[in-house]
Amino acid sequence: MQDDLDTIKTRILAATAAANSLESLERVRVEALGRKGRITALMKGLGAMDPETRKSAGAALNVLKDDVAAAIEARQEDLAGATLDARLMEEKVDVTLPVRAEGRGRVHPITQTIDEVIAIFGEMGFTVAEGPDIEDDWHNFTALNIPPEHPARQEHDTFYLPGMAGGHRRVLRTHTSPVQIRTMGEQKPPLRIIVPGRTYRCDYDATHSPMFHQVEGLVVDETTHMGHLKGCLIEFCRAYFGVEDLPVRFRPSYFPFTEPSAEVDIGCTRAGGAFRIGHGDDWLEILGCGMVHPKVLENCGIDAARYQGFAFGLGVERIAMLKYGIGDLRTFFESDLRWLRHYGFPALHIPSMVGGLNP
Ligand code: DAH
């Protein structure tokens, strides 16, 4: 019996030492000590022995069982330690490696331009107002003195939405002017707002995109006159283009919602094929404006005998293209990262910080 047990022990200890993974060691354990294991089977045999034999055999078996269990446990610890060491080696972080370059985002020229426009008018005391992209006929047209058969409706290449509101189809707003109506309907004069926002017209070429941006302006109070309109817009053009004595000209024009109406041109030169803003013999149109039409004031419940004001509207893409030399309007919306890296702006405008962080 003891010889048998010694052989069994030798074999199990050899298998334990030979096991080179936790899984194979577990198989050795199950074969020896599991429910159907070799040692377990011998333990079960004790019951059939006479008391004397059972006593000595039992003691010997217990010793065997304990020795084997201890050997397996020790091997288990060795293997677990080795596995951990291997993982630690494998997953070692090389702190000397240079950091991976991080993609730095850029501010889109449209956002930048709107921010610049807001900053300039903000200095003059304007606040920002906003309105919905989906408009009804009243706000986009009728209240702005553009009745149903008015030819100006055709010029707007309107996108109509399915469904009706008040007997009319709803539209994607064709300009930011409806926010004039909304603001005058909700607030009492004096008013001094600018309205940056998306606008939509069914048009697509190098200078038109079906979605584009405008900034609207509106001033209403009791004493505002054409001189204020001119002073305000001349100041804006000079500040935006950064040319202190930029020539600015007001040319009579027509808009249904203003009377009188004007278009604003800035001086430029196209000599020798190169385009430059500033002094020159040429003019370039950049925005529309005028004194708010009395009918528009009345449509918003404002007494036109007491109040008056001026309004203007400018195309954001247009003035961004002019200032930053962008040739094709469609590129604003193509989401080409190379384009954005070139024409975009750093998010941090504090020069010392940008310099400090980006040597
Ligand atoms: N809404 C006009 C357009 O989209 C632009 C405009 C012109 C707005 C004159 C105004 C304005 O407020 O007074 O073409």
Side-chain angles (χ1 to χ4, degrees):
M1 170 84 181
Q2 190 58 46
D3 281 356
D4 281 356
L5 294 190
D6 286 344
T7 319
I8 291 171
K9 182 173 174 181
T10 313
R11 233 185 264 146
I12 296 176
L13 292 188
T16 302
N20 53 10
S21 72
L22 288 168
E23 294 75 34
S24 53
L25 180 64
E26 177 62 8
R27 278 195 295 278
V28 174
R29 192 191 65 78
V30 169
E31 272 163 30
L33 304 170
R35 267 197 308 129
K36 292 179 184 157
R38 191 74 211 276
I39 297 175
T40 316
L42 290 171
M43 300 289 254
K44 281 181 187 158
L46 288 173
M49 294 177 184
D50 65 81
E52 263 319 292
T53 329
R54 187 190 307 149
K55 205 171 166 195
S56 57
L61 267 175
N62 273 331
V63 170
L64 170 66
K65 192 178 143 198
D66 290 348
D67 288 354
V68 164
I72 290 177
E73 202 173 308
R75 182 75 186 137
Q76 231 163 11
E77 270 167 32
D78 283 354
L79 286 175
T83 311
L84 183 63
D85 286 347
R87 268 190 62 191
L88 285 175
M89 280 305 287
E90 204 172 288
E91 296 173 12
K92 193 169 62 173
V93 176
D94 183 352
V95 292
T96 65
L97 277 177
V99 289
R100 219 171 277 152
E102 212 175 272
R104 200 183 291 259
R106 306 285 282 177
V107 173
H108 195 283
I110 293 292
T111 310
Q112 168 77 15
T113 303
I114 289 175
D115 286 350
E116 290 174 17
V117 172
I118 291 175
I120 295 168
F121 284 110
E123 288 258 307
M124 297 187 211
F126 285 74
T127 54
V128 173
E130 285 178 314
D133 289 18
I134 295 176
E135 269 298 2
D136 52 42
D137 184 274
W138 170 255
H139 290 93
N140 197 80
F141 293 123
T142 308
L144 287 160
N145 199 29
I146 315 174
E149 299 314 321
H150 198 286
R153 290 209 181 197
Q154 267 91 62
E155 283 160 30
H156 278 212
D157 302 313
T158 313
F159 285 113
Y160 289 95
L161 276 85
M164 305 287 253
H168 293 280
R169 285 182 292 174
R170 286 175 308 160
V171 301
L172 287 179
R173 66 178 178 192
T174 56
H175 48 179
T176 41
S177 304
V179 186
Q180 289 189 29
I181 305 301
R182 293 188 174 274
T183 307
M184 287 190 278
E186 288 159 11
Q187 297 172 32
K188 296 243 161 305
L191 300 172
R192 202 181 286 182
I193 56 153
I194 52 165
V195 184
R198 274 190 278 272
T199 46
Y200 306 84
R201 287 184 205 177
C202 188
D203 218 345
Y204 185 68
D205 60 36
T207 51
H208 297 89
S209 150
M211 190 278 296
F212 57 106
H213 297 76
Q214 289 189 338
V215 176
E216 191 81 12
L218 174 71
V219 173
V220 180
D221 66 22
E222 293 182 53
T223 54
T224 299
H225 54 69
M226 191 97 186
H228 295 124
L229 160 76
K230 290 184 71 178
C232 173
L233 293 179
I234 292 171
E235 176 67 25
F236 166 74
C237 292
R238 291 180 174 169
Y240 175 76
F241 289 105
V243 180
E244 216 174 290
D245 56 353
L246 178 69
V248 180
R249 161 175 102 169
F250 290 74
R251 191 165 29 79
S253 184
Y254 172 77
F255 298 104
F257 32 87
T258 45
E259 182 58 37
S261 303
E263 267 161 335
V264 176
D265 298 337
I266 55 173
C268 66
T269 171
R270 293 182 171 90
F275 175 78
R276 275 203 32 224
I277 289 169
H279 287 270
D281 53 5
D282 218 342
W283 295 99
L284 182 81
E285 178 203 322
I286 65 154
L287 60 87
C289 61
M291 299 305 292
V292 182
H293 199 295
K295 275 198 197 159
V296 174
L297 295 171
E298 298 289 354
N299 285 338
C300 302
I302 292 178
D303 180 0
R306 182 169 166 206
Y307 292 103
Q308 55 202 317
F310 67 82
F312 55 89
L314 60 89
V316 175
E317 285 78 1
R318 183 165 171 76
I319 63 166
M321 287 167 81
L322 289 171
K323 185 164 172 178
Y324 297 114
I326 301 170
D328 188 327
L329 185 142
R330 292 169 292 199
T331 56
F332 280 108
F333 310 115
E334 280 168 358
S335 304
D336 183 335
L337 283 179
R338 293 164 305 174
W339 183 92
L340 193 55
R341 262 177 230 124
H342 180 79
Y343 287 109
F345 294 83
L348 289 172
H349 286 293
I350 312 157
S352 59
M353 262 193 96
V354 174
L357 291 172
N358 194 10

